[in-house]
Amino acid sequence: MTNSQTAQTQFQKRRLGSTGPEVTSPALGGMSLSGAYGAVGDEEGVRVIHAYLDAGGTLIDTGDFYGAGHNEMLIAKALRERSREDAVLSVKFGALLTPVGMPAGFDGRPEAVKSFLTYSLQRLGTDHIDIYRPARLDPQVPIEETVGAVQELVAAGYVRHIGLSEVSADTIRRAAAVAPISDLQIEYSLLTRGIETNGILDTCRELGIGITAYSVLGRGLIGGSGALGGSLAHMPRFQGDNLDHNRALLATLEEIAASKGVTLAQLAIAWVAARGEHIVPVIGSRKVSQVESMAGANAVRLDDADLARIDAAVPVGAARGDRYPTHFMTQLDSER
């Protein structure tokens, strides 16, 4: 049996909320294929996407601002010789960029939503997007207006499902009152567990909304190479004493992973997946070998004793440093 065949037997099927699509878990995150954490050639990027699809994966997550459109065009290239129905495409929109690629705020106005979609459809080479979501809450535009604009695109056939990203429990409720919400995309990992205490996780469960969890590996802190490529050097958790403290937290986790014969990364993915059937980890792979590893995480079984050991090793709030630089944290509705 080949590695690809082995991975295919290990992908799980999960539904994103009560109204969303059936997808495979883990999902493939596209951001790391467009320079976020260091350069990746397009040929290698296509190989990674093909490896994920060939292994039976379906959910590919991207943003129209990843590489200023590069990521969508890379995905289009990878899908060119595949059936469109082989992939479930999740796209974030609304993040504004300067000419040098720096963040410049968010735009959730209804007219902007429709313009963003037009460009995404062209770059992706498709006639529809499976899940369309604002990347952040525009503080100048009520979420009802932004979601209402996406709902119009659903009615017109350009979008299949509506998602949210990095919003608070209150905003989730307001959005869900306008249209069915498939899932919330938000950071969730052993090092980032805020959704367990701020009402977001409970609200999603109550309303039948799935969660697509990103940065499951702590941007490489958990089981990564340790290299500070791309934007990592600007992240508080990777700076000074914070980095030393956070790495030390993982020592016991490495022992647990070793006792199970799996990698630390696989343990971290399995832990997130074990938090609920409505949760799908999103893993940003840059190499084919990482796709095989993330698929293998579904074979990891964590019993109550394992989960208790993990919680004792890395309790809620144990990580030091915010998950983004201060000026980005202020833009997160989920942190208010």
Side-chain angles (χ1 to χ4, degrees):
M1 183 177 287
T2 66
N3 287 335
S4 188
Q5 290 171 326
T6 301
Q8 187 164 3
T9 66
Q10 294 172 342
F11 272 106
Q12 293 182 354
K13 291 288 183 68
R14 294 191 168 186
R15 184 166 298 281
L16 290 181
S18 59
T19 64
E22 184 179 73
V23 300
T24 53
S25 175
L28 178 67
M31 186 174 71
S32 60
L33 297 177
S34 292
Y37 304 123
V40 177
D42 281 3
E43 290 186 4
E44 181 64 13
V46 168
R47 280 194 290 269
V48 167
I49 296 169
H50 282 175
Y52 178 71
L53 295 172
D54 290 343
T58 60
L59 181 56
I60 301 176
D61 180 78
T62 185
D64 61 10
F65 51 95
Y66 289 174
H70 169 268
N71 201 243
E72 289 181 318
M73 291 186 287
L74 178 70
I75 291 170
K77 184 176 181 181
L79 295 180
R80 199 163 291 152
E81 298 178 1
R82 306 297 175 105
S83 168
R84 171 65 181 85
E85 298 308 312
D86 287 347
V88 177
L89 298 180
S90 170
V91 179
K92 291 179 289 296
F93 68 85
L96 305 177
L97 298 174
T98 69
V100 294
M102 295 300 293
F106 304 93
D107 192 344
R109 294 172 301 139
E111 58 268 34
V113 172
K114 295 170 184 177
S115 179
F116 288 135
L117 177 88
T118 301
Y119 284 99
S120 284
L121 292 175
Q122 178 67 26
R123 285 190 293 257
L124 286 164
T126 185
D127 62 357
H128 73 278
I129 288 172
D130 297 288
I131 310 170
Y132 202 47
R133 71 182 82 243
R136 298 288 187 269
L137 176 69
D138 183 339
Q140 305 302 319
V141 180
I143 190 63
E144 291 87 349
E145 293 185 15
T146 303
V147 169
V150 182
Q151 179 64 9
E152 290 181 12
L153 296 172
V154 172
Y158 295 116
V159 171
R160 299 274 173 87
H161 304 279
I162 303 172
L164 298 171
S165 178
E166 288 289 357
V167 292
S168 67
D170 177 65
T171 301
I172 294 168
R173 291 185 184 280
R174 289 169 53 195
V178 174
I181 304 298
S182 66
D183 67 298
L184 169 72
Q185 190 166 119
I186 197 161
E187 185 169 346
Y188 188 40
S189 74
L190 284 162
L191 298 177
T192 300
R193 298 176 61 176
I195 65 171
E196 296 177 20
T197 59
N198 62 13
I200 289 176
L201 185 58
D202 289 341
T203 298
C204 287
R205 284 180 177 144
E206 175 192 339
L207 299 179
I209 294 172
I211 289 176
T212 41
Y214 74 90
S215 289
V216 169
L217 303 181
R219 297 178 177 82
L221 239 174
I222 307 173
S225 66
L228 299 181
S231 62
L232 290 181
H234 303 288
M235 299 292 183
R237 289 184 179 172
F238 288 81
Q239 295 174 346
D241 293 341
N242 288 349
L243 181 59
D244 294 336
H245 169 85
N246 293 332
R247 282 176 172 164
L249 280 176
L250 305 176
T252 300
L253 295 182
E254 290 176 346
E255 295 174 8
I256 298 172
S259 71
K260 290 187 156 299
V262 300
T263 66
L264 180 55
Q266 288 174 325
L267 182 75
I269 296 168
W271 180 87
V272 169
R275 307 306 286 182
E277 287 294 321
H278 66 306
I279 300 175
V280 174
V282 180
I283 310 301
S285 300
R286 302 173 66 201
K287 301 176 182 178
V288 171
S289 60
Q290 292 172 333
V291 173
E292 296 166 354
S293 174
M294 79 181 200
N298 281 326
V300 180
R301 297 290 175 261
L302 300 176
D303 59 25
D304 289 343
D306 294 325
L307 294 173
R309 286 185 67 195
I310 292 170
D311 279 349
V314 188
V316 175
R320 285 185 186 170
D322 287 334
R323 54 195 181 103
Y324 288 104
T326 301
H327 58 288
F328 291 132
M329 290 293 290
T330 62
Q331 298 172 344
L332 296 176
D333 180 60
S334 55
E335 293 288 337
R336 296 193 177 101

